Amino acid sequence: MKRNTALLALVLLFCRCSDSAKPLRLNEMLAYANAPENGLVRSRDVQGIRTTVRLIPPQLEALRDRVTNATDLDSAVKEQDRQLCFLVNLGPDGKHFKGDVMYSGAQSKEEFLQQAYDLNFNWEAMVSLRCGGRTYAPVLSSLENTYSLTKDRNVMLVFVPETSGDPAFYGSEQLELVIADEHLGTGIQHFTFDRAALRKVPQPTV
């Protein structure tokens, strides 16, 4: 009986490992990247604002390029692997604050206009990435403008080192995104990811 139980456990483990090694399509990769247990998502509630940071694996960005064959997909993954991408979602926590996040903290029209400008165009001064003792500013930032159709906003941040082969940028085992918010009341927040989570991402397939 014990032998049969051990054999069954071994079979189940093998099946589980086989599933995790299976190449993933776009919708499967999205589900994998959004699952907190895979280490690519961090979230924190401060002053009624929920900040969720997602470390975007290069495999996911490559699949979004809508390539149609394995050769182009492999090239796209290698190209995306040269940079680090984060998606920051800012939204109400639904308990302490329930309104449009763009209005949080603004006490006047002038404050709102300045806040809206900074959240659209000033992320280079508000966020940084720390890798192996070095600090990097984003080379690209883009705020999703929904014109208040949603209460939350997404910000895409892209980091690339100044020199190719930067050992700190590409070799650091920890990636720390630091957000310094002067408008929404969340202050300075640190979101740390392990590079090992990127290495565990399954291969993509078209």
Side-chain angles (χ1 to χ4, degrees), residues 17-93:
C17 292
S18 298
D19 289 342
S20 64
K22 181 183 69 174
L24 303 183
R25 297 185 182 276
L26 177 57
N27 61 333
E28 297 170 323
M29 189 67 75
L30 279 168
Y32 180 94
N34 285 325
E37 63 268 21
N38 292 322
L40 299 172
V41 182
R42 300 285 184 268
S43 186
R44 186 174 297 122
D45 292 355
V46 178
Q47 297 290 352
I49 302 300
R50 175 167 298 162
T51 304
T52 301
V53 178
R54 291 176 171 85
L55 173 57
I56 308 299
Q59 294 90 337
L60 177 55
E61 285 298 290
L63 286 173
R64 282 175 171 164
D65 287 343
R66 301 193 181 281
V67 294
T68 57
N69 61 75
T71 300
D72 290 345
L73 179 59
D74 183 61
S75 297
V77 171
K78 291 179 180 177
E79 182 66 24
Q80 292 293 338
D81 203 29
R82 295 175 56 248
Q83 59 193 24
L84 289 169
C85 299
F86 296 84
L87 182 66
V88 179
N89 179 268
L90 303 169
D93 66 1

Side-chain angles (χ1 to χ4, degrees), residues 48 62 98 107 120 136 146 150 153 162 171 182 189 197:
K98 299 181 180 180
Q107 302 298 320
N120 272 279
Y136 305 85
T146 64
T150 65
R153 298 294 189 280
E162 293 183 0
E182 297 181 356
Q189 298 188 80

Side-chain angles (χ1 to χ4, degrees), residues 105-116:
Q107 302 298 320
S108 64
K109 180 180 179 180
E110 290 73 20
E111 287 185 5
F112 169 73
L113 291 175
Q114 183 62 52
Q115 178 168 296

